[in-house]
Amino acid sequence: MNSRLRQDEIVRSLRRAGTSTVAELAIQVGASRRTVLRDIAALRDEGFVIDAEPGRGGGLSLDPHSVQTTARLSVSEVFALLISVASMRAAGNLPFSSLADSGLAKIEKALPSDKIRDLRQFLDCLYVGPLAPQVDISDMGEMDPALLPVFEPAFLQRLHLRFDYRDAKGTQSRRHVEPQAMLILPPLWYLVAWDPSREGFRHFRMDRIGRPELVPGSTFRRRHVPFDDGVRRVRFA
Amino acid sequence: MNSRLRQDEIVRSLRRAGTSTVAELAIQVGASRRTVLRDIAALRDEGFVIDAEPGRGGGLSLDPHSVQTTARLSVSEVFALLISVASMRAAGNLPFSSLADSGLAKIEKALPSDKIRDLRQFLDCLYVGPLAPQVDISDMGEMDPALLPVFEPAFLQRLHLRFDYRDAKGTQSRRHVEPQAMLILPPLWYLVAWDPSREGFRHFRMDRIGRPELVPGSTFRRRHVPFDDGVRRVRFA
DNA sequence: CACAATGGTGCCAGTTTTTGGCACCATTGG
DNA sequence: CCAATGGTGCCAAAAACTGGCACCATTGTG
């Protein structure tokens, strides 16, 4: 078995099992304990976050947000991605555009050095004009990329969410809501959520949300989200 | 020397030299003829298109557009890229968005299957509103992704370009120009070029350009491109 | 045609890298 | 103290890679 394939297998096993011991992994991938430990070290080098509890009852566990994926892209595809992200950025300071940038930076770094030079030289000839955002972005704050790991499980497992919110007038409050949808009206993002205490839907600007936390064990049902502001909206596909 | 590094070196050599023999490559990368042949076979397996002319005066040549790159991306980065591309698409039918999609499809395919399910489920909660394009796109044609391989060398080597052009009134003409810049005013792209016969700059909508061809051996100098329409423009970085 | 230059394949021995086993250490819970 | 766990260093065995060689097919040139 190729060492690369074995490492992928280890990642899959850890994701499935949640937590596992080195000895178990060794049996599953058909390699020795020593080799699995070497592979774990290699995966950590590549950015996978693998926690280890020593001692009786311990084991390994993988942070699912550190899972990485490899893909082989043609130069044209890289170029197209660069254009998309740059054009988005021209619309303003968008949430997650810095994350997209870091992804692209990794992709670029993997290109042969002379191809990067070509690409850069080509990009020098490009000028991107602005997209017109639907809203005034003069008071737009930066959205924290760290919100993503909190919001994703909220949507996937339908968990209640608590967070601080600062409204347009600047008043602070602590909210407790059922997240139902995300509405992206570039460059602004809104959390569309049902507020049980107010028995109604509320929109929250993502950049005004602070200190979000999941409320464990508090599932709710999906509701039909009303959009009543007349804006044409594209379902994300 | 690592076999991966050696293969990269071979790709670089082939890109530099245009065409080369196995014996030459062997000397350049400091390996034997046999090993270079093995590496060539490996590169072909990975999707690199390497033509071989047997016989006296023959040699190897690499199709530069088959150059691919692998990058390891975190799931969050993939997510951010998906958002960027989808938001762009919400602005209309953009040139190259299909290329970006195909790149993303590859990336998604490389994700562990359960992670894809998560991601898809999360995306189901997202609604993307439209960006407002600066121009009327009612008569917008599709831009041919195959144009890219022609335009890239035109900019990199500063070669004259010939193409058919259909102007706003529908009149066809064959143009011969010096490409100076690309202006992206989403969702439209313009080629900004110096027209020697008219001694002036002209803007060409990319989706109205047909049958472009390079004029070999016809270099020109870069000119200062005037932008006189008062639109804020972002230099691509 | 003969020949030289080129890509390509099969084989095998030498070299390098990877792997597995072992001993051992640190930590943790019983 | 003991058993179970992650982690490291070392070394020999196993596997993979490499280089040399013989050889084949194709192509252009004398």
Side-chain angles (χ1 to χ4, degrees):
Chain A
M1 160 112 61
N2 187 328
S3 95
R4 176 63 175 276
L5 294 177
R6 199 178 48 228
Q7 287 173 24
D8 285 354
E9 181 68 34
I10 290 175
V11 169
R12 268 193 296 276
S13 271
L14 276 176
R15 282 181 49 74
R16 243 198 327 271
T19 175
S20 185
T21 71
V22 176
E24 286 165 8
L25 288 173
I27 294 167
Q28 279 185 32
V29 303
S32 68
R33 200 181 89 98
R34 187 69 186 83
T35 300
V36 169
L37 277 162
R38 267 193 280 250
D39 285 338
I40 298 281
L43 287 169
R44 284 176 171 150
D45 275 350
E46 292 179 30
F48 286 79
V49 175
I50 299 174
D51 275 336
E53 286 295 323
R56 191 164 186 158
L60 301 171
S61 63
L62 168 68
D63 174 4
H65 280 96
S66 72
V67 171
Q68 313 216 343
T69 178
T70 58
R72 191 167 270 267
L73 301 181
S74 77
V75 172
S76 297
E77 287 163 343
V78 174
F79 178 76
L81 286 174
L82 277 166
I83 298 291
S84 285
V85 172
S87 303
M88 257 329 257
R89 169 142 284 180
N93 220 346
L94 293 173
F96 300 131
S97 61
S98 60
L99 253 182
D101 281 345
S102 91
L104 283 177
K106 281 192 194 170
I107 294 177
E108 272 196 84
K109 224 168 95 184
L111 281 171
S113 59
D114 54 340
K115 195 68 205 174
I116 294 187
R117 217 173 30 248
D118 284 3
L119 198 59
R120 284 269 153 232
Q121 209 177 326
F122 191 20
L123 293 181
D124 270 353
C125 301
L126 299 185
Y127 294 81
V128 182
L131 291 158
Q134 299 283 330
V135 293
D136 177 25
I137 59 166
S138 48
D139 66 338
M140 165 84 183
E142 265 288 320
M143 182 169 146
D144 185 3
L147 294 185
L148 195 50
V150 179
F151 277 80
E152 192 185 325
F155 280 100
L156 291 186
Q157 296 151 40
R158 292 198 296 283
L159 294 173
H160 283 77
L161 209 53
R162 262 200 293 262
F163 53 84
D164 291 340
Y165 193 69
R166 175 179 49 82
D167 68 15
K169 294 174 207 145
T171 20
Q172 289 273 355
S173 58
R174 186 88 180 154
R175 303 302 188 103
H176 182 137
V177 301
E178 305 172 353
Q180 299 283 351
M182 301 264 263
L183 176 60
I184 309 176
L185 297 173
L188 290 182
W189 286 42
Y190 295 89
L191 169 67
V192 183
W194 176 263
D195 187 330
S197 68
R198 289 166 178 80
E199 291 256 329
F201 276 102
R202 292 291 184 274
H203 288 55
F204 302 96
R205 259 177 61 171
M206 290 290 281
D207 57 308
R208 290 177 173 161
I209 290 178
R211 295 196 304 131
E213 64 179 338
L214 297 169
V215 184
S218 59
T219 60
F220 56 86
R221 65 182 173 82
R222 286 291 289 273
R223 291 165 191 271
H224 178 71
V225 180
F227 289 120
D228 50 7
D229 51 11
V231 176
R232 177 180 72 94
R233 232 168 267 98
V234 179
R235 188 67 190 270
F236 200 101
Chain B
M1 158 108 65
N2 187 326
S3 96
R4 175 59 180 276
L5 293 177
R6 199 178 49 229
Q7 288 173 22
D8 284 355
E9 181 67 34
I10 289 175
V11 169
R12 267 194 295 277
S13 272
L14 276 175
R15 283 181 45 76
R16 243 200 326 272
T19 177
S20 183
T21 71
V22 176
E24 286 165 7
L25 287 173
I27 295 169
Q28 279 185 32
V29 303
S32 69
R33 200 179 89 97
R34 187 70 186 83
T35 300
V36 169
L37 277 162
R38 269 192 278 249
D39 285 338
I40 298 281
L43 287 170
R44 282 176 173 150
D45 275 350
E46 292 179 27
F48 286 80
V49 176
I50 299 176
D51 277 336
E53 285 297 323
R56 191 163 184 159
L60 301 170
S61 63
L62 167 69
D63 173 4
H65 282 96
S66 72
V67 172
Q68 310 216 341
T69 177
T70 58
R72 219 170 187 145
L73 301 183
S74 76
V75 173
S76 297
E77 287 163 343
V78 174
F79 177 77
L81 287 174
L82 278 165
I83 299 289
S84 286
V85 172
S87 303
M88 257 331 254
R89 170 144 281 178
N93 219 346
L94 292 173
F96 300 131
S97 60
S98 61
L99 255 182
D101 281 345
S102 91
L104 283 177
K106 282 191 195 171
I107 293 176
E108 271 196 85
K109 225 169 94 187
L111 280 172
S113 58
D114 54 341
K115 196 66 206 172
I116 293 186
R117 220 171 31 247
D118 284 3
L119 199 57
R120 285 269 153 231
Q121 209 178 327
F122 190 22
L123 292 180
D124 270 352
C125 301
L126 299 186
Y127 295 83
V128 182
L131 290 158
Q134 299 281 329
V135 292
D136 177 27
I137 59 166
S138 47
D139 66 337
M140 165 86 182
E142 264 287 319
M143 182 169 148
D144 185 2
L147 294 185
L148 195 50
V150 180
F151 277 81
E152 191 185 324
F155 280 99
L156 291 187
Q157 296 151 40
R158 291 198 295 283
L159 294 173
H160 284 78
L161 210 53
R162 264 198 294 260
F163 53 84
D164 291 340
Y165 193 69
R166 175 179 49 81
D167 68 16
K169 295 175 208 147
T171 21
Q172 288 273 354
S173 58
R174 186 89 179 152
R175 302 304 189 101
H176 182 138
V177 301
E178 305 172 352
Q180 299 283 351
M182 300 264 262
L183 177 59
I184 308 175
L185 297 172
L188 291 181
W189 284 42
Y190 296 89
L191 168 67
V192 183
W194 177 262
D195 187 331
S197 68
R198 288 168 178 78
E199 293 254 328
F201 276 101
R202 292 290 183 274
H203 288 55
F204 303 96
R205 259 177 62 171
M206 290 290 281
D207 57 308
R208 291 177 172 160
I209 290 178
R211 294 196 303 129
E213 64 178 339
L214 297 170
V215 183
S218 60
T219 60
F220 56 85
R221 64 181 172 81
R222 286 292 292 274
R223 290 166 193 272
H224 179 69
V225 180
F227 289 116
D228 50 9
D229 51 12
V231 176
R232 178 180 71 97
R233 231 169 269 97
V234 179
R235 188 65 190 274
F236 201 104

